[in-house]
Amino acid sequence: MAQNFAHGNYSHTQKKARNSGGGRTPRDRARRELSQNFLVDQHAVDLVIKAARPSGLVLEPGAGEGVLTTALARTGAEVVAYEIDPLLVAKLRARTKLKIMKGDFTEARPPGKPFAVVGNIPYSITSKIVDWCLRAPELTAATLLTQLEYARKRSGDFGRWSLVTVESWPWFSWELLGRIGRESFRPVPSVDSAILRIERRPEPLVDDGGAWQELVELGFSGVGGSLYASLHRHYGGVDAAFDRAGIARDTVVAFVRPDQWITLFACLRR
């Protein structure tokens, strides 16, 4: 409402809206609660499909009105879509022959065979969905429409690297594959989106996941005030490892690239 009257006197309108429940219908409130911003731009749908390269079994979190669901099905992929909104589930089941599961995607058991995830996911549970994907043993790739800022943070596009990305790097690559403007959605969100692709590597880059996790979590802990100080307290040969990886002693942990972490790990394991 405020956006519609941004350049005028709308105090009376605001008061009236507050008295009538905010001027929103029950469906409007449901969309807000479920973080529903439906993809309506066919060009954006095409970009997601191109990035996802769907084949075999594909799970879609948050089917919404089914625009991406039907596009995925047209590629020949075996699509299983999840939707928590019962009204949308009923509509999708009525007009398609696809498998539409009613419920929370993050509560579903991962398939026991190779599968991919493709979806325009709710902003409010992005981290929860990504965590689910990273834990699924048979996941091959996840191609997700997320907030632009989230995709940039996770893919290193800001020149900084997050704990989530570095910790999963030996098993998964993270790539930002394009920006999708906010005007491609209805209702129009307040931020732009991006296509984030997380792809499982054919072979892990390290041979000891527990030791890798211990190193990375210690490095990001801030103990000692710097990455160098944190690692120096627990590992021998840190100076040589930093030289080999090309990391300055005063480098902030977020600016250490994943490939440099791999070198650190290899050196400190010797």
Side-chain angles (χ1 to χ4, degrees):
M1 185 69 69
Q3 287 183 336
N4 294 340
F5 295 89
H7 301 291
N9 181 357
Y10 57 93
S11 58
H12 174 72
T13 306
Q14 283 185 317
K15 182 177 180 181
K16 184 177 180 180
R18 284 195 297 270
N19 291 338
S20 61
R24 297 191 181 95
T25 67
R27 286 304 300 160
D28 290 335
R29 290 192 289 273
R31 284 185 176 186
R32 186 180 183 87
E33 291 169 3
L34 297 174
S35 189
Q36 293 176 329
N37 295 95
F38 302 128
L39 190 60
V40 296
D41 179 12
Q42 185 58 50
H43 178 63
V45 172
D46 293 343
L47 290 177
V48 174
I49 296 297
K50 181 179 179 180
R53 308 188 298 274
S55 65
L57 177 60
V58 175
L59 271 55
E60 181 194 13
E65 296 181 331
V67 173
L68 186 56
T69 317
T70 53
L72 287 167
R74 285 195 294 270
T75 69
E78 177 191 353
V79 180
V80 178
Y82 287 79
E83 176 53 55
I84 202 168
D85 187 329
L87 181 58
L88 292 176
V89 171
K91 287 182 176 181
L92 282 174
R93 286 176 176 172
R95 67 181 178 84
T96 73
K97 296 181 179 180
L98 302 176
K99 189 171 184 179
I100 311 297
M101 307 296 291
K102 178 181 176 297
D104 185 346
F105 170 80
T106 62
E107 298 297 325
R109 178 177 297 178
K113 64 178 183 179
F115 72 99
V117 171
V118 182
N120 168 33
I121 61 178
Y123 292 157
S124 60
I125 57 170
T126 297
S127 293
K128 192 174 181 181
I129 289 175
V130 169
D131 288 345
W132 186 98
C133 291
L134 295 177
R135 291 195 306 268
E138 296 294 335
L139 178 87
T140 58
T143 306
L144 308 171
L145 266 177
T146 72
Q147 283 191 19
L148 176 61
E149 183 178 8
Y150 181 91
R152 295 191 68 188
K153 284 181 177 179
R154 295 293 179 258
S155 64
D157 194 56
F158 284 121
R160 298 170 62 94
W161 299 90
S162 69
L163 171 61
V164 172
T165 304
V166 174
E167 200 165 35
S168 63
W169 192 260
W171 298 274
F172 295 95
S173 62
W174 298 68
E175 189 175 6
L176 193 161
L177 292 179
R179 176 172 174 165
I180 304 295
R182 65 196 75 184
E183 67 278 359
S184 296
F185 302 86
R186 295 292 182 276
V188 178
S190 60
V191 296
D192 292 334
S193 294
I195 302 171
L196 176 66
R197 182 168 173 85
I198 307 167
E199 187 168 355
R200 188 181 295 276
R201 301 184 188 280
E203 296 292 336
L205 301 179
V206 302
D207 58 3
D208 188 335
W212 170 264
Q213 184 176 7
E214 182 180 353
L215 172 72
V216 174
E217 289 187 352
L218 177 61
F220 273 88
S221 70
V223 175
S226 69
L227 174 61
Y228 176 80
S230 297
L231 300 185
H232 200 273
R233 295 181 175 201
H234 293 80
Y235 296 93
V238 172
D239 287 278
F242 267 60
D243 290 341
R244 182 71 177 272
I247 306 171
R249 303 294 188 270
D250 60 350
T251 301
V252 175
V253 64
F255 292 100
V256 178
R257 302 188 311 270
D259 61 292
Q260 292 175 311
W261 277 101
I262 296 294
T263 302
L264 283 179
F265 183 74
C267 292
L268 297 176
R269 290 284 315 288
R270 292 174 182 172

